[in-house]
Amino acid sequence: MTEAVHPRSVIPADRIRQVVVLVSLVLALAGAAVGSGAFGGTPIQNASDGALSADATPIAPAVPAFSIWSVIYLGLAACAVWQALPGRAADPRQRVLGYPVAASLLLNAAWILSVQAGLLALSVVVIAALLAVLAFAFAVCVRTRGKGWVEAVLVDGVIGLYLGWVCVATAANISAVLVAAGFTGWGVPADLWAVVVVGVAGAVGVALAMAGRGRIAPSLSLCWGLVWLGVARLNGEPHSVPAATSAFITVAIVILATILCRAAAVTRSRRS
């Protein structure tokens, strides 16, 4: 059951929230620019001695996978501008989502800075917090109803896309930190560890499909990351056919789960 939103009177706190989101966007974009190597910053793939490069671990996606950040940042910018419109100030849904979105922007910038500073352990804490914030925002999107397709794309879609990618990024981040710390897998082959981690990512993807009633955005970005993980393991180092195979199979499972959950949600909606 979704709850509808109703207009309320604007209060000063609403304007403050809108400004906070916009300022957080500016800081996040500045952090992204630094993370790309601009302004003297070190590109993320080269920071921390290359711990997060595409060939650092069997869980690292190929370089083209990270082009999704351009879409996510563009979506976040559009979302931040849209929520700052006068008509959105007193929207109950934005009152709940505003600060989580701002927090996600600031945490993203903090993650970039922690990696560039070589603080890999801290980067795991930051990305875990980012994942938690996005999971909360996604839950809000699922249990509340927006106003039309524009909000569905700029809010629900962007948050879902962001969440799905961060799920993949979290797995890659944790793996990179463990490898950099000298973790050898307790004697378990690296290929098997990769298959297990990919399986966990797939389980998360299925869980998101179920919780989100078949929402496409989180599955799309999560599968995007897994596809490029598979490509990296087939065409680059470390080469791992088991990791690539499990990634492609997992993508198929997540897509199927999303389709089934979507169909079930549509059927329930028609019946009600």
Side-chain angles (χ1 to χ4, degrees), residues 216-255:
I216 298 172
S219 296
L220 185 64
S221 54
L222 188 145
C223 289
W224 170 267
L226 290 178
V227 165
W228 283 108
L229 187 159
V231 170
R233 298 293 69 79
L234 289 179
N235 298 327
E237 296 295 334
H239 186 77
S240 175
V241 173
T245 302
S246 64
F248 295 140
I249 291 175
T250 299
V251 167
I253 292 172
V254 172
I255 291 174

PDB file of all heavy atoms in Angstrom, residues 216-255:
ATOM      1  N   ILE A 216      12.927  -0.908 -12.047  1.00  0.00           N
ATOM      2  CA  ILE A 216      13.958  -1.210 -13.030  1.00  0.00           C
ATOM      3  C   ILE A 216      15.306  -0.592 -12.688  1.00  0.00           C
ATOM      4  O   ILE A 216      16.358  -1.215 -12.883  1.00  0.00           O
ATOM      5  CB  ILE A 216      13.505  -0.731 -14.423  1.00  0.00           C
ATOM      6  CG1 ILE A 216      12.236  -1.475 -14.844  1.00  0.00           C
ATOM      7  CG2 ILE A 216      14.602  -0.933 -15.464  1.00  0.00           C
ATOM      8  CD1 ILE A 216      11.616  -0.930 -16.110  1.00  0.00           C
ATOM      9  N   ALA A 217      15.311   0.637 -12.180  1.00  0.00           N
ATOM     10  CA  ALA A 217      16.557   1.400 -12.024  1.00  0.00           C
ATOM     11  C   ALA A 217      17.631   0.694 -11.210  1.00  0.00           C
ATOM     12  O   ALA A 217      18.774   0.586 -11.658  1.00  0.00           O
ATOM     13  CB  ALA A 217      16.252   2.772 -11.435  1.00  0.00           C
ATOM     14  N   PRO A 218      17.339   0.200  -9.987  1.00  0.00           N
ATOM     15  CA  PRO A 218      18.410  -0.446  -9.225  1.00  0.00           C
ATOM     16  C   PRO A 218      18.953  -1.697  -9.899  1.00  0.00           C
ATOM     17  O   PRO A 218      20.163  -1.950  -9.882  1.00  0.00           O
ATOM     18  CB  PRO A 218      17.757  -0.767  -7.872  1.00  0.00           C
ATOM     19  CG  PRO A 218      16.292  -0.693  -8.112  1.00  0.00           C
ATOM     20  CD  PRO A 218      16.091   0.292  -9.212  1.00  0.00           C
ATOM     21  N   SER A 219      18.062  -2.466 -10.524  1.00  0.00           N
ATOM     22  CA  SER A 219      18.513  -3.678 -11.224  1.00  0.00           C
ATOM     23  C   SER A 219      19.375  -3.315 -12.429  1.00  0.00           C
ATOM     24  O   SER A 219      20.357  -3.995 -12.735  1.00  0.00           O
ATOM     25  CB  SER A 219      17.308  -4.505 -11.680  1.00  0.00           C
ATOM     26  OG  SER A 219      16.562  -4.977 -10.576  1.00  0.00           O
ATOM     27  N   LEU A 220      19.012  -2.233 -13.099  1.00  0.00           N
ATOM     28  CA  LEU A 220      19.747  -1.803 -14.292  1.00  0.00           C
ATOM     29  C   LEU A 220      21.193  -1.466 -13.964  1.00  0.00           C
ATOM     30  O   LEU A 220      22.125  -1.957 -14.618  1.00  0.00           O
ATOM     31  CB  LEU A 220      19.049  -0.590 -14.901  1.00  0.00           C
ATOM     32  CG  LEU A 220      19.609  -0.069 -16.232  1.00  0.00           C
ATOM     33  CD1 LEU A 220      19.443  -1.112 -17.308  1.00  0.00           C
ATOM     34  CD2 LEU A 220      18.914   1.230 -16.630  1.00  0.00           C
ATOM     35  N   SER A 221      21.403  -0.659 -12.930  1.00  0.00           N
ATOM     36  CA  SER A 221      22.777  -0.256 -12.596  1.00  0.00           C
ATOM     37  C   SER A 221      23.565  -1.389 -11.955  1.00  0.00           C
ATOM     38  O   SER A 221      24.767  -1.533 -12.203  1.00  0.00           O
ATOM     39  CB  SER A 221      22.752   0.961 -11.659  1.00  0.00           C
ATOM     40  OG  SER A 221      21.954   0.720 -10.522  1.00  0.00           O
ATOM     41  N   LEU A 222      22.897  -2.217 -11.144  1.00  0.00           N
ATOM     42  CA  LEU A 222      23.593  -3.352 -10.546  1.00  0.00           C
ATOM     43  C   LEU A 222      24.045  -4.329 -11.632  1.00  0.00           C
ATOM     44  O   LEU A 222      25.187  -4.806 -11.629  1.00  0.00           O
ATOM     45  CB  LEU A 222      22.680  -4.051  -9.540  1.00  0.00           C
ATOM     46  CG  LEU A 222      23.323  -5.149  -8.675  1.00  0.00           C
ATOM     47  CD1 LEU A 222      22.711  -5.148  -7.268  1.00  0.00           C
ATOM     48  CD2 LEU A 222      23.139  -6.527  -9.298  1.00  0.00           C
ATOM     49  N   CYS A 223      23.161  -4.610 -12.582  1.00  0.00           N
ATOM     50  CA  CYS A 223      23.516  -5.515 -13.677  1.00  0.00           C
ATOM     51  C   CYS A 223      24.586  -4.912 -14.579  1.00  0.00           C
ATOM     52  O   CYS A 223      25.452  -5.629 -15.101  1.00  0.00           O
ATOM     53  CB  CYS A 223      22.268  -5.869 -14.482  1.00  0.00           C
ATOM     54  SG  CYS A 223      21.120  -6.971 -13.617  1.00  0.00           S
ATOM     55  N   TRP A 224      24.529  -3.601 -14.770  1.00  0.00           N
ATOM     56  CA  TRP A 224      25.566  -2.910 -15.543  1.00  0.00           C
ATOM     57  C   TRP A 224      26.942  -3.176 -14.924  1.00  0.00           C
ATOM     58  O   TRP A 224      27.898  -3.525 -15.628  1.00  0.00           O
ATOM     59  CB  TRP A 224      25.264  -1.423 -15.573  1.00  0.00           C
ATOM     60  CG  TRP A 224      26.351  -0.539 -16.119  1.00  0.00           C
ATOM     61  CD1 TRP A 224      27.333   0.086 -15.400  1.00  0.00           C
ATOM     62  CD2 TRP A 224      26.568  -0.172 -17.495  1.00  0.00           C
ATOM     63  NE1 TRP A 224      28.145   0.826 -16.231  1.00  0.00           N
ATOM     64  CE2 TRP A 224      27.703   0.691 -17.517  1.00  0.00           C
ATOM     65  CE3 TRP A 224      25.917  -0.460 -18.681  1.00  0.00           C
ATOM     66  CZ2 TRP A 224      28.184   1.226 -18.695  1.00  0.00           C
ATOM     67  CZ3 TRP A 224      26.413   0.094 -19.858  1.00  0.00           C
ATOM     68  CH2 TRP A 224      27.529   0.921 -19.859  1.00  0.00           C
ATOM     69  N   GLY A 225      27.033  -3.023 -13.610  1.00  0.00           N
ATOM     70  CA  GLY A 225      28.298  -3.262 -12.940  1.00  0.00           C
ATOM     71  C   GLY A 225      28.748  -4.707 -13.055  1.00  0.00           C
ATOM     72  O   GLY A 225      29.934  -4.990 -13.297  1.00  0.00           O
ATOM     73  N   LEU A 226      27.824  -5.648 -12.921  1.00  0.00           N
ATOM     74  CA  LEU A 226      28.176  -7.068 -12.990  1.00  0.00           C
ATOM     75  C   LEU A 226      28.599  -7.484 -14.407  1.00  0.00           C
ATOM     76  O   LEU A 226      29.501  -8.311 -14.571  1.00  0.00           O
ATOM     77  CB  LEU A 226      27.001  -7.923 -12.523  1.00  0.00           C
ATOM     78  CG  LEU A 226      26.684  -7.860 -11.023  1.00  0.00           C
ATOM     79  CD1 LEU A 226      25.460  -8.712 -10.702  1.00  0.00           C
ATOM     80  CD2 LEU A 226      27.879  -8.324 -10.194  1.00  0.00           C
ATOM     81  N   VAL A 227      27.943  -6.919 -15.405  1.00  0.00           N
ATOM     82  CA  VAL A 227      28.336  -7.232 -16.790  1.00  0.00           C
ATOM     83  C   VAL A 227      29.779  -6.811 -17.044  1.00  0.00           C
ATOM     84  O   VAL A 227      30.586  -7.572 -17.595  1.00  0.00           O
ATOM     85  CB  VAL A 227      27.388  -6.542 -17.798  1.00  0.00           C
ATOM     86  CG1 VAL A 227      28.001  -6.549 -19.203  1.00  0.00           C
ATOM     87  CG2 VAL A 227      26.046  -7.246 -17.822  1.00  0.00           C
ATOM     88  N   TRP A 228      30.126  -5.599 -16.606  1.00  0.00           N
ATOM     89  CA  TRP A 228      31.486  -5.118 -16.826  1.00  0.00           C
ATOM     90  C   TRP A 228      32.493  -5.832 -15.933  1.00  0.00           C
ATOM     91  O   TRP A 228      33.680  -5.917 -16.279  1.00  0.00           O
ATOM     92  CB  TRP A 228      31.558  -3.604 -16.634  1.00  0.00           C
ATOM     93  CG  TRP A 228      31.006  -2.871 -17.812  1.00  0.00           C
ATOM     94  CD1 TRP A 228      29.838  -2.184 -17.890  1.00  0.00           C
ATOM     95  CD2 TRP A 228      31.618  -2.780 -19.114  1.00  0.00           C
ATOM     96  NE1 TRP A 228      29.663  -1.673 -19.153  1.00  0.00           N
ATOM     97  CE2 TRP A 228      30.741  -2.021 -19.918  1.00  0.00           C
ATOM     98  CE3 TRP A 228      32.794  -3.263 -19.662  1.00  0.00           C
ATOM     99  CZ2 TRP A 228      31.025  -1.738 -21.257  1.00  0.00           C
ATOM    100  CZ3 TRP A 228      33.080  -2.977 -20.991  1.00  0.00           C
ATOM    101  CH2 TRP A 228      32.211  -2.218 -21.767  1.00  0.00           C
ATOM    102  N   LEU A 229      32.033  -6.341 -14.802  1.00  0.00           N
ATOM    103  CA  LEU A 229      32.907  -7.200 -13.989  1.00  0.00           C
ATOM    104  C   LEU A 229      33.256  -8.455 -14.787  1.00  0.00           C
ATOM    105  O   LEU A 229      34.419  -8.880 -14.830  1.00  0.00           O
ATOM    106  CB  LEU A 229      32.195  -7.568 -12.684  1.00  0.00           C
ATOM    107  CG  LEU A 229      32.976  -8.329 -11.607  1.00  0.00           C
ATOM    108  CD1 LEU A 229      32.304  -8.131 -10.245  1.00  0.00           C
ATOM    109  CD2 LEU A 229      33.077  -9.830 -11.888  1.00  0.00           C
ATOM    110  N   GLY A 230      32.228  -9.054 -15.410  1.00  0.00           N
ATOM    111  CA  GLY A 230      32.467 -10.245 -16.221  1.00  0.00           C
ATOM    112  C   GLY A 230      33.392  -9.966 -17.391  1.00  0.00           C
ATOM    113  O   GLY A 230      34.293 -10.756 -17.697  1.00  0.00           O
ATOM    114  N   VAL A 231      33.179  -8.830 -18.051  1.00  0.00           N
ATOM    115  CA  VAL A 231      34.036  -8.460 -19.181  1.00  0.00           C
ATOM    116  C   VAL A 231      35.485  -8.292 -18.733  1.00  0.00           C
ATOM    117  O   VAL A 231      36.423  -8.747 -19.401  1.00  0.00           O
ATOM    118  CB  VAL A 231      33.524  -7.156 -19.826  1.00  0.00           C
ATOM    119  CG1 VAL A 231      34.536  -6.629 -20.849  1.00  0.00           C
ATOM    120  CG2 VAL A 231      32.177  -7.389 -20.487  1.00  0.00           C
ATOM    121  N   ALA A 232      35.665  -7.658 -17.572  1.00  0.00           N
ATOM    122  CA  ALA A 232      37.018  -7.439 -17.055  1.00  0.00           C
ATOM    123  C   ALA A 232      37.729  -8.752 -16.754  1.00  0.00           C
ATOM    124  O   ALA A 232      38.932  -8.891 -16.981  1.00  0.00           O
ATOM    125  CB  ALA A 232      36.956  -6.581 -15.793  1.00  0.00           C
ATOM    126  N   ARG A 233      36.992  -9.734 -16.256  1.00  0.00           N
ATOM    127  CA  ARG A 233      37.607 -11.003 -15.900  1.00  0.00           C
ATOM    128  C   ARG A 233      37.923 -11.865 -17.121  1.00  0.00           C
ATOM    129  O   ARG A 233      38.776 -12.740 -17.065  1.00  0.00           O
ATOM    130  CB  ARG A 233      36.700 -11.782 -14.941  1.00  0.00           C
ATOM    131  CG  ARG A 233      36.450 -11.086 -13.613  1.00  0.00           C
ATOM    132  CD  ARG A 233      37.687 -10.950 -12.702  1.00  0.00           C
ATOM    133  NE  ARG A 233      38.699 -10.050 -13.176  1.00  0.00           N
ATOM    134  CZ  ARG A 233      38.639  -8.708 -13.069  1.00  0.00           C
ATOM    135  NH1 ARG A 233      37.606  -8.146 -12.505  1.00  0.00           N
ATOM    136  NH2 ARG A 233      39.636  -7.978 -13.502  1.00  0.00           N
ATOM    137  N   LEU A 234      37.231 -11.615 -18.225  1.00  0.00           N
ATOM    138  CA  LEU A 234      37.515 -12.370 -19.443  1.00  0.00           C
ATOM    139  C   LEU A 234      38.608 -11.721 -20.276  1.00  0.00           C
ATOM    140  O   LEU A 234      39.401 -12.414 -20.924  1.00  0.00           O
ATOM    141  CB  LEU A 234      36.243 -12.499 -20.294  1.00  0.00           C
ATOM    142  CG  LEU A 234      35.147 -13.419 -19.762  1.00  0.00           C
ATOM    143  CD1 LEU A 234      33.959 -13.409 -20.710  1.00  0.00           C
ATOM    144  CD2 LEU A 234      35.656 -14.840 -19.557  1.00  0.00           C
ATOM    145  N   ASN A 235      38.653 -10.386 -20.273  1.00  0.00           N
ATOM    146  CA  ASN A 235      39.566  -9.671 -21.160  1.00  0.00           C
ATOM    147  C   ASN A 235      40.754  -9.026 -20.451  1.00  0.00           C
ATOM    148  O   ASN A 235      41.618  -8.443 -21.107  1.00  0.00           O
ATOM    149  CB  ASN A 235      38.802  -8.581 -21.930  1.00  0.00           C
ATOM    150  CG  ASN A 235      37.712  -9.166 -22.806  1.00  0.00           C
ATOM    151  OD1 ASN A 235      37.845 -10.260 -23.325  1.00  0.00           O
ATOM    152  ND2 ASN A 235      36.621  -8.425 -22.966  1.00  0.00           N
ATOM    153  N   GLY A 236      40.780  -9.066 -19.145  1.00  0.00           N
ATOM    154  CA  GLY A 236      41.865  -8.416 -18.410  1.00  0.00           C
ATOM    155  C   GLY A 236      42.399  -9.287 -17.301  1.00  0.00           C
ATOM    156  O   GLY A 236      42.114 -10.480 -17.218  1.00  0.00           O
ATOM    157  N   GLU A 237      43.173  -8.684 -16.456  1.00  0.00           N
ATOM    158  CA  GLU A 237      43.746  -9.372 -15.287  1.00  0.00           C
ATOM    159  C   GLU A 237      43.122  -8.812 -14.023  1.00  0.00           C
ATOM    160  O   GLU A 237      42.818  -7.611 -13.963  1.00  0.00           O
ATOM    161  CB  GLU A 237      45.266  -9.191 -15.266  1.00  0.00           C
ATOM    162  CG  GLU A 237      45.990  -9.834 -16.440  1.00  0.00           C
ATOM    163  CD  GLU A 237      45.861 -11.343 -16.453  1.00  0.00           C
ATOM    164  OE1 GLU A 237      45.657 -11.933 -15.368  1.00  0.00           O
ATOM    165  OE2 GLU A 237      45.935 -11.931 -17.539  1.00  0.00           O
ATOM    166  N   PRO A 238      42.940  -9.659 -12.993  1.00  0.00           N
ATOM    167  CA  PRO A 238      43.169 -11.107 -13.006  1.00  0.00           C
ATOM    168  C   PRO A 238      42.114 -11.841 -13.825  1.00  0.00           C
ATOM    169  O   PRO A 238      40.922 -11.601 -13.649  1.00  0.00           O
ATOM    170  CB  PRO A 238      43.084 -11.491 -11.528  1.00  0.00           C
ATOM    171  CG  PRO A 238      42.218 -10.436 -10.923  1.00  0.00           C
ATOM    172  CD  PRO A 238      42.492  -9.178 -11.675  1.00  0.00           C
ATOM    173  N   HIS A 239      42.581 -12.714 -14.712  1.00  0.00           N
ATOM    174  CA  HIS A 239      41.670 -13.479 -15.565  1.00  0.00           C
ATOM    175  C   HIS A 239      40.949 -14.521 -14.727  1.00  0.00           C
ATOM    176  O   HIS A 239      41.569 -15.237 -13.940  1.00  0.00           O
ATOM    177  CB  HIS A 239      42.463 -14.159 -16.674  1.00  0.00           C
ATOM    178  CG  HIS A 239      41.621 -14.860 -17.686  1.00  0.00           C
ATOM    179  ND1 HIS A 239      40.943 -14.189 -18.679  1.00  0.00           N
ATOM    180  CD2 HIS A 239      41.327 -16.181 -17.849  1.00  0.00           C
ATOM    181  CE1 HIS A 239      40.285 -15.055 -19.416  1.00  0.00           C
ATOM    182  NE2 HIS A 239      40.499 -16.270 -18.933  1.00  0.00           N
ATOM    183  N   SER A 240      39.636 -14.605 -14.885  1.00  0.00           N
ATOM    184  CA  SER A 240      38.862 -15.567 -14.101  1.00  0.00           C
ATOM    185  C   SER A 240      37.579 -15.919 -14.832  1.00  0.00           C
ATOM    186  O   SER A 240      36.610 -15.160 -14.806  1.00  0.00           O
ATOM    187  CB  SER A 240      38.539 -15.004 -12.713  1.00  0.00           C
ATOM    188  OG  SER A 240      37.698 -15.895 -11.997  1.00  0.00           O
ATOM    189  N   VAL A 241      37.583 -17.071 -15.477  1.00  0.00           N
ATOM    190  CA  VAL A 241      36.381 -17.540 -16.166  1.00  0.00           C
ATOM    191  C   VAL A 241      35.251 -17.819 -15.173  1.00  0.00           C
ATOM    192  O   VAL A 241      34.096 -17.460 -15.437  1.00  0.00           O
ATOM    193  CB  VAL A 241      36.698 -18.792 -17.008  1.00  0.00           C
ATOM    194  CG1 VAL A 241      35.410 -19.384 -17.595  1.00  0.00           C
ATOM    195  CG2 VAL A 241      37.664 -18.444 -18.138  1.00  0.00           C
ATOM    196  N   PRO A 242      35.533 -18.437 -14.005  1.00  0.00           N
ATOM    197  CA  PRO A 242      34.444 -18.664 -13.040  1.00  0.00           C
ATOM    198  C   PRO A 242      33.779 -17.368 -12.583  1.00  0.00           C
ATOM    199  O   PRO A 242      32.550 -17.302 -12.469  1.00  0.00           O
ATOM    200  CB  PRO A 242      35.154 -19.361 -11.871  1.00  0.00           C
ATOM    201  CG  PRO A 242      36.319 -20.039 -12.497  1.00  0.00           C
ATOM    202  CD  PRO A 242      36.777 -19.101 -13.565  1.00  0.00           C
ATOM    203  N   ALA A 243      34.587 -16.338 -12.318  1.00  0.00           N
ATOM    204  CA  ALA A 243      34.018 -15.057 -11.879  1.00  0.00           C
ATOM    205  C   ALA A 243      33.167 -14.448 -12.978  1.00  0.00           C
ATOM    206  O   ALA A 243      32.068 -13.936 -12.727  1.00  0.00           O
ATOM    207  CB  ALA A 243      35.125 -14.096 -11.473  1.00  0.00           C
ATOM    208  N   ALA A 244      33.664 -14.488 -14.217  1.00  0.00           N
ATOM    209  CA  ALA A 244      32.915 -13.927 -15.341  1.00  0.00           C
ATOM    210  C   ALA A 244      31.612 -14.683 -15.560  1.00  0.00           C
ATOM    211  O   ALA A 244      30.544 -14.087 -15.746  1.00  0.00           O
ATOM    212  CB  ALA A 244      33.762 -13.962 -16.604  1.00  0.00           C
ATOM    213  N   THR A 245      31.699 -16.004 -15.529  1.00  0.00           N
ATOM    214  CA  THR A 245      30.506 -16.827 -15.751  1.00  0.00           C
ATOM    215  C   THR A 245      29.454 -16.563 -14.685  1.00  0.00           C
ATOM    216  O   THR A 245      28.256 -16.400 -14.988  1.00  0.00           O
ATOM    217  CB  THR A 245      30.879 -18.315 -15.756  1.00  0.00           C
ATOM    218  OG1 THR A 245      31.865 -18.563 -16.768  1.00  0.00           O
ATOM    219  CG2 THR A 245      29.651 -19.179 -16.030  1.00  0.00           C
ATOM    220  N   SER A 246      29.888 -16.513 -13.429  1.00  0.00           N
ATOM    221  CA  SER A 246      28.941 -16.262 -12.340  1.00  0.00           C
ATOM    222  C   SER A 246      28.324 -14.874 -12.457  1.00  0.00           C
ATOM    223  O   SER A 246      27.143 -14.681 -12.152  1.00  0.00           O
ATOM    224  CB  SER A 246      29.637 -16.421 -10.982  1.00  0.00           C
ATOM    225  OG  SER A 246      30.652 -15.442 -10.807  1.00  0.00           O
ATOM    226  N   ALA A 247      29.109 -13.907 -12.938  1.00  0.00           N
ATOM    227  CA  ALA A 247      28.588 -12.539 -13.105  1.00  0.00           C
ATOM    228  C   ALA A 247      27.486 -12.516 -14.156  1.00  0.00           C
ATOM    229  O   ALA A 247      26.425 -11.919 -13.946  1.00  0.00           O
ATOM    230  CB  ALA A 247      29.713 -11.594 -13.492  1.00  0.00           C
ATOM    231  N   PHE A 248      27.712 -13.175 -15.286  1.00  0.00           N
ATOM    232  CA  PHE A 248      26.712 -13.170 -16.359  1.00  0.00           C
ATOM    233  C   PHE A 248      25.453 -13.945 -15.950  1.00  0.00           C
ATOM    234  O   PHE A 248      24.328 -13.526 -16.264  1.00  0.00           O
ATOM    235  CB  PHE A 248      27.315 -13.756 -17.635  1.00  0.00           C
ATOM    236  CG  PHE A 248      28.444 -12.943 -18.209  1.00  0.00           C
ATOM    237  CD1 PHE A 248      29.572 -13.561 -18.738  1.00  0.00           C
ATOM    238  CD2 PHE A 248      28.389 -11.557 -18.215  1.00  0.00           C
ATOM    239  CE1 PHE A 248      30.614 -12.818 -19.267  1.00  0.00           C
ATOM    240  CE2 PHE A 248      29.436 -10.790 -18.741  1.00  0.00           C
ATOM    241  CZ  PHE A 248      30.548 -11.431 -19.265  1.00  0.00           C
ATOM    242  N   ILE A 249      25.635 -15.046 -15.256  1.00  0.00           N
ATOM    243  CA  ILE A 249      24.479 -15.813 -14.785  1.00  0.00           C
ATOM    244  C   ILE A 249      23.688 -14.998 -13.769  1.00  0.00           C
ATOM    245  O   ILE A 249      22.446 -14.977 -13.787  1.00  0.00           O
ATOM    246  CB  ILE A 249      24.935 -17.145 -14.154  1.00  0.00           C
ATOM    247  CG1 ILE A 249      25.501 -18.073 -15.235  1.00  0.00           C
ATOM    248  CG2 ILE A 249      23.770 -17.829 -13.430  1.00  0.00           C
ATOM    249  CD1 ILE A 249      26.097 -19.356 -14.697  1.00  0.00           C
ATOM    250  N   THR A 250      24.400 -14.309 -12.906  1.00  0.00           N
ATOM    251  CA  THR A 250      23.742 -13.480 -11.891  1.00  0.00           C
ATOM    252  C   THR A 250      22.933 -12.361 -12.531  1.00  0.00           C
ATOM    253  O   THR A 250      21.826 -12.043 -12.083  1.00  0.00           O
ATOM    254  CB  THR A 250      24.789 -12.890 -10.930  1.00  0.00           C
ATOM    255  OG1 THR A 250      25.468 -13.961 -10.265  1.00  0.00           O
ATOM    256  CG2 THR A 250      24.128 -12.001  -9.886  1.00  0.00           C
ATOM    257  N   VAL A 251      23.469 -11.767 -13.577  1.00  0.00           N
ATOM    258  CA  VAL A 251      22.733 -10.725 -14.304  1.00  0.00           C
ATOM    259  C   VAL A 251      21.412 -11.271 -14.822  1.00  0.00           C
ATOM    260  O   VAL A 251      20.354 -10.638 -14.684  1.00  0.00           O
ATOM    261  CB  VAL A 251      23.582 -10.172 -15.465  1.00  0.00           C
ATOM    262  CG1 VAL A 251      22.725  -9.333 -16.411  1.00  0.00           C
ATOM    263  CG2 VAL A 251      24.727  -9.335 -14.927  1.00  0.00           C
ATOM    264  N   ALA A 252      21.453 -12.464 -15.408  1.00  0.00           N
ATOM    265  CA  ALA A 252      20.231 -13.070 -15.934  1.00  0.00           C
ATOM    266  C   ALA A 252      19.219 -13.323 -14.822  1.00  0.00           C
ATOM    267  O   ALA A 252      18.010 -13.090 -14.995  1.00  0.00           O
ATOM    268  CB  ALA A 252      20.568 -14.380 -16.647  1.00  0.00           C
ATOM    269  N   ILE A 253      19.702 -13.772 -13.665  1.00  0.00           N
ATOM    270  CA  ILE A 253      18.806 -14.050 -12.533  1.00  0.00           C
ATOM    271  C   ILE A 253      18.161 -12.773 -12.025  1.00  0.00           C
ATOM    272  O   ILE A 253      16.956 -12.729 -11.754  1.00  0.00           O
ATOM    273  CB  ILE A 253      19.584 -14.761 -11.405  1.00  0.00           C
ATOM    274  CG1 ILE A 253      19.993 -16.165 -11.845  1.00  0.00           C
ATOM    275  CG2 ILE A 253      18.744 -14.830 -10.126  1.00  0.00           C
ATOM    276  CD1 ILE A 253      20.915 -16.864 -10.866  1.00  0.00           C
ATOM    277  N   VAL A 254      18.959 -11.716 -11.881  1.00  0.00           N
ATOM    278  CA  VAL A 254      18.427 -10.447 -11.378  1.00  0.00           C
ATOM    279  C   VAL A 254      17.404  -9.863 -12.350  1.00  0.00           C
ATOM    280  O   VAL A 254      16.352  -9.361 -11.938  1.00  0.00           O
ATOM    281  CB  VAL A 254      19.571  -9.440 -11.135  1.00  0.00           C
ATOM    282  CG1 VAL A 254      19.007  -8.053 -10.800  1.00  0.00           C
ATOM    283  CG2 VAL A 254      20.468  -9.919  -9.999  1.00  0.00           C
ATOM    284  N   ILE A 255      17.696  -9.934 -13.642  1.00  0.00           N
ATOM    285  CA  ILE A 255      16.751  -9.428 -14.640  1.00  0.00           C
ATOM    286  C   ILE A 255      15.441 -10.212 -14.586  1.00  0.00           C
ATOM    287  O   ILE A 255      14.344  -9.629 -14.603  1.00  0.00           O
ATOM    288  CB  ILE A 255      17.364  -9.507 -16.051  1.00  0.00           C
ATOM    289  CG1 ILE A 255      18.504  -8.501 -16.190  1.00  0.00           C
ATOM    290  CG2 ILE A 255      16.301  -9.238 -17.113  1.00  0.00           C
ATOM    291  CD1 ILE A 255      19.261  -8.595 -17.489  1.00  0.00           C
TER     292      ILE A 255
END
